[in-house]
Amino acid sequence: MNKPVLLVVDDDPQVLAAVRRDLRSRYREQYTVVSAGSGPEALETAKELKSRGDALAMVISDERMPGMLGGEVLARTRDVYPLARRVLLTAYTDIQAAIRAINEAHLDHYLSKPWDPPEERLYPVVDDLLDAWQAESLPEANGLRLVGHQWATRSHAIKDFLASNLVPYRWLDVERDAEAKPLLDAANVASDALPALFFEDGGILTNPEPRQIAERLGRSLSAAHDVYDLVAVGAGPAGLAAAVYGASEGLRTLLLDRHAPGGQAGTSSRIENYLGFPAGVSGSDLTRRALMQAQRLGAEFLVPFEVTGVTVDAGYKHLALADGREIITRTMVAATGMSYREHPAPGVAEHTGAGVYYGAATTEAPAFRDKRITVVGGGNSAGQGAMHLARFAADVQIVVRRADLTETMSRYLIDQMGKTPNIRVRARSEIASVEGDGRVERVTFRSLEDGSCRSEESDAVFIFIGTRPISGWLPAGVLRDAKGFVLTGRDVMAAEAYARTWKESRVPLPLETSVPGVFAAGDIRAGAMNRVASAVGEGSMVVRLAHEYLALT
Ligand SMILES: Cc1cc2nc3c(=O)[nH]c(=O)nc-3n(C[C@H](O)[C@H](O)[C@H](O)COP(=O)(O)OP(=O)(O)OC[C@H]3O[C@@H](n4cnc5c(N)ncnc54)[C@H](O)[C@@H]3O)c2cc1C
């Protein structure tokens, strides 16, 4: 296997030579630097690399070139190498072009010329982008492989567990990938034992539970300490932020998640409004960065760990885990966010994981290349999901109950969808049923105008509606609103049960629930903003408040 390639494109021979020299001096051990003097030559090179089976890690292109602008080069190489990182080289005066390219070419970064000294202005950017590329790119033939049936719920569950936990793997559909059968035969794995995970060292797990996979991947499955200062339950943006700040401010901090880090945000294909990422950031990239940051600062992270209950004894919180064990902490933050409620239409439950998916399920999108997809919901998450799916599917139909998307979706997403010809909106409608034989084949829609029903062929349904807080694991003493969202701070004081529940001489701190030392942050909280930034803000605030609480006890 050849080294992955960094492709540099510029019509100015001097600039081209300078970029090539700087890249070679730092990356030549792991990457081959290839150059092209024009856009068409770069596209030709990308096609040649593809036909040789080489990996392309990054394209760095100058914007101003005769014949084809850099933005177009980057957009067109994306068709051949969707995962390659894309960087535009611009003159200081071309910032507008770079901003345009962020939207059109899904640019990852723009670099202003000149980039001297490269140690400060070029290498940190390239290092960061190559780390992200490596985390997403598929392992070579001998890396972790998952073999299974595309329409089996268990295959989907394992794919989702691996991808959400940022473990690169290769999916081999037993019916379609030629590599699958010889692998199964050589290992004597029967097709009714699937899905099977083949590890690099030759080990195999058939139909494994997430815990077995985590153990086999060398993840820790027990807490390192007897008592913690802060435990964040749920590793979405709120829990991750609490872990980063808790660890950095000297608290013995543990972060737990029942499924994977990242939470809802981790499933987003592109978060465009999070501060500091002008080109947007994928949920998995943001998660990878945040988790690395939390662990580097000293937070411990355990997955898959589900908290099922909490009791308080002399101020210490005892967290009961689904496996029967217990974790003790002086303060905790409930950051378990929200999840989708099961859609009640007939046919949805039996096809869940076999063509029906809740949320973005980004791992499944490539399986629907050239197919028809139904997206249910009119919020930003549905819009992002539709945009991502439209890169693969022939037709993406969004089903909404309202007359249009203007009240529920951000303008930038409505505009992006308007420019995407294979996305259409079916307004004032809902799903009446989902039909198919072992996989989704048809969806029946009901009109909310006249109640009439109409069936259409569809290969998948992605559902983005019906969220509810995950707060059932908290003790009864934690007051909630009628929908189950957790009350904190002043909302606790305004609750009818306040006097009966709160027995301290002080009032609850902001973000503190009706149980002293138990905080809540992010989407689980009544009045939450349902944004990554607000969840991160609250998770960070909790640490300061936990210090205040600890000083009082
Ligand atoms: C597809 C999609 C796209 C989005 N795009 C954007 C966007 O572009 N911009 C934006 O600002 N917002 C966006 N949002 C909203 C944003 O992601 C959420 O507001 C944010 O993730 C909330 O963070 P959180 O930490 O409160 O909870 P969550 O992200 O919901 O995380 C909760 C975590 O808790 C874990 N958990 C649950 N129960 C337990 C338990 N009992 N024990 C242990 N762990 C448990 C879950 O596994 C999960 O990982 C999007 C949401 C979705 C679904």
Side-chain angles (χ1 to χ4, degrees):
M1 189 85 177
N2 292 328
K3 285 189 257 185
V5 170
L6 310 180
L7 176 60
V8 191
V9 194
D10 205 316
D11 65 316
D12 179 334
Q14 268 179 333
V15 179
L16 191 62
V19 191
R20 207 170 43 204
R21 179 201 60 217
D22 286 346
L23 290 176
R24 275 195 183 137
S25 89
R26 185 171 174 108
Y27 301 103
R28 70 167 158 257
E29 297 288 312
Q30 301 117 306
Y31 296 90
T32 305
V33 181
V34 172
S35 52
S38 70
E41 191 188 329
L43 297 183
E44 222 23 69
T45 307
K47 276 192 211 144
E48 268 170 39
L49 293 172
K50 190 80 187 177
S51 65
R52 288 210 305 257
D54 286 349
L56 179 64
M58 183 178 291
V59 186
I60 302 182
S61 177
D62 201 301
E63 168 62 0
R64 289 204 186 180
M65 294 186 294
M68 191 184 290
L69 292 176
E72 187 179 345
V73 177
L74 297 179
R76 289 178 61 181
T77 45
R78 186 169 188 242
D79 297 337
V80 192
Y81 281 101
L83 293 182
R85 290 320 192 240
R86 291 169 293 278
V87 178
L88 196 67
L89 271 181
T90 58
Y92 177 64
T93 46
D94 272 347
I95 302 299
Q96 282 311 322
I99 289 173
R100 246 193 344 266
I102 287 175
N103 288 327
E104 287 162 16
H106 287 241
L107 191 67
D108 291 297
H109 202 91
Y110 64 82
L111 271 177
S112 300
K113 291 183 282 189
W115 54 87
D116 282 330
E119 289 73 16
E120 271 173 38
R121 301 200 43 223
L122 179 68
Y123 299 148
V125 170
V126 175
D127 282 351
D128 198 42
L129 293 173
L130 289 177
D131 276 355
W133 175 79
Q134 266 168 357
E136 273 181 35
S137 62
L138 295 175
E140 293 157 23
N142 56 352
L144 184 65
R145 282 160 296 175
L146 174 65
V147 184
H149 298 280
Q150 171 63 29
W151 306 112
T153 308
R154 290 290 303 151
S155 298
H156 170 62
I158 296 174
K159 277 194 253 180
D160 191 39
F161 181 75
L162 290 171
S164 314
N165 279 288
L166 314 169
V167 180
Y169 70 98
R170 260 167 26 98
W171 161 244
L172 299 175
D173 181 343
V174 71
E175 271 112 41
R176 290 173 49 172
D177 289 297
E179 258 178 79
K181 179 116 184 14
L183 199 61
L184 296 178
D185 290 347
N188 263 332
V189 175
S191 88
D192 58 2
L194 297 180
L197 255 184
F198 291 78
F199 291 83
E200 202 160 359
D201 62 4
I204 302 166
L205 285 179
T206 51
N207 198 11
E209 290 301 323
R211 217 182 172 81
Q212 289 171 280
I213 302 175
E215 192 167 23
R216 191 65 181 65
L217 291 169
R219 304 278 168 97
S220 169
L221 286 178
S222 54
H225 299 285
D226 294 333
V227 181
Y228 289 86
D229 295 320
L230 174 69
V231 173
V233 184
L240 280 162
V244 165
Y245 280 85
S248 71
E249 292 184 18
L251 296 180
R252 183 173 281 176
T253 304
L254 173 66
L255 176 66
L256 301 173
D257 202 285
R258 68 177 179 186
H259 177 61
Q264 298 168 72
T267 69
S268 168
S269 48
R270 196 161 178 230
I271 299 165
E272 307 227 25
N273 51 5
Y274 189 60
L275 188 72
F277 291 87
V281 57
S282 72
S284 61
D285 194 13
L286 188 63
T287 302
R288 185 181 59 80
R289 289 161 187 270
L291 186 62
M292 215 194 289
Q293 194 176 12
Q295 290 178 314
R296 183 177 65 78
L297 292 168
E300 203 182 316
F301 175 56
L302 294 175
V303 71
F305 269 60
E306 180 172 9
V307 178
T308 52
V310 181
T311 49
V312 183
D313 183 12
Y316 285 90
K317 285 85 191 160
H318 294 245
L319 274 57
L321 302 177
D323 63 11
R325 289 184 289 175
E326 188 180 82
I327 284 169
I328 303 174
T329 180
R330 296 164 74 200
T331 68
M332 59 167 279
V333 51
T336 46
M338 298 199 293
S339 69
Y340 293 102
R341 193 176 290 141
E342 194 162 285
H343 194 290
V348 167
E350 55 264 46
H351 289 104
T352 299
V356 170
Y357 306 100
Y358 286 91
T362 37
T363 49
E364 298 297 345
F368 295 100
R369 192 172 288 283
D370 303 326
K371 306 271 185 201
R372 290 144 306 189
I373 291 181
T374 305
V375 166
V376 187
N380 281 351
S381 52
Q384 275 181 20
M387 284 299 296
H388 181 67
L389 292 163
R391 286 175 50 199
F392 302 91
D395 176 54
V396 176
Q397 174 165 216
I398 303 185
V399 187
V400 284
R401 300 174 67 100
R402 293 178 192 246
D404 60 36
L405 299 168
T406 45
E407 276 177 44
T408 51
M409 198 179 284
S410 295
R411 190 73 243 168
Y412 78 89
L413 273 169
I414 297 178
D415 291 346
Q416 282 181 11
M417 291 198 320
K419 290 187 197 147
T420 311
N422 56 338
I423 297 184
R424 60 199 164 110
V425 179
R426 190 181 196 108
R428 300 284 297 134
S429 301
E430 63 182 12
I431 290 210
S433 65
V434 173
E435 297 121 50
D437 185 9
R439 54 187 278 192
V440 173
E441 286 163 329
R442 250 175 339 281
V443 174
T444 301
F445 302 95
R446 184 182 299 114
S447 158
L448 297 178
E449 298 290 353
D450 56 14
S452 63
C453 284
R454 204 190 141 111
S455 286
E456 273 186 26
E457 292 187 352
S458 184
D459 302 288
V461 179
F462 287 76
I463 300 172
F464 291 88
I465 54 164
T467 46
R468 64 186 161 97
I470 308 177
S471 61
W473 58 278
L474 284 162
V478 169
L479 298 179
R480 279 151 261 202
D481 70 10
K483 291 186 173 164
F485 289 97
V486 174
L487 302 179
T488 52
R490 285 183 183 191
D491 289 344
V492 171
M493 293 163 69
E496 200 208 321
Y498 175 57
R500 263 182 285 133
T501 318
W502 186 261
K503 299 296 174 200
E504 305 289 301
S505 53
R506 62 180 177 89
V507 297
L509 296 165
L511 303 185
E512 191 172 24
T513 69
S514 49
V515 174
V518 174
F519 297 88
D523 282 8
I524 192 180
R525 224 174 49 76
M529 298 293 162
N530 308 117
R531 292 283 182 276
V532 177
S534 50
V536 166
E538 291 178 12
S540 320
M541 276 168 67
V542 157
V543 172
R544 159 79 200 283
L545 300 165
H547 274 298
E548 261 183 61
Y549 167 83
L550 290 172
L552 292 169
T553 54

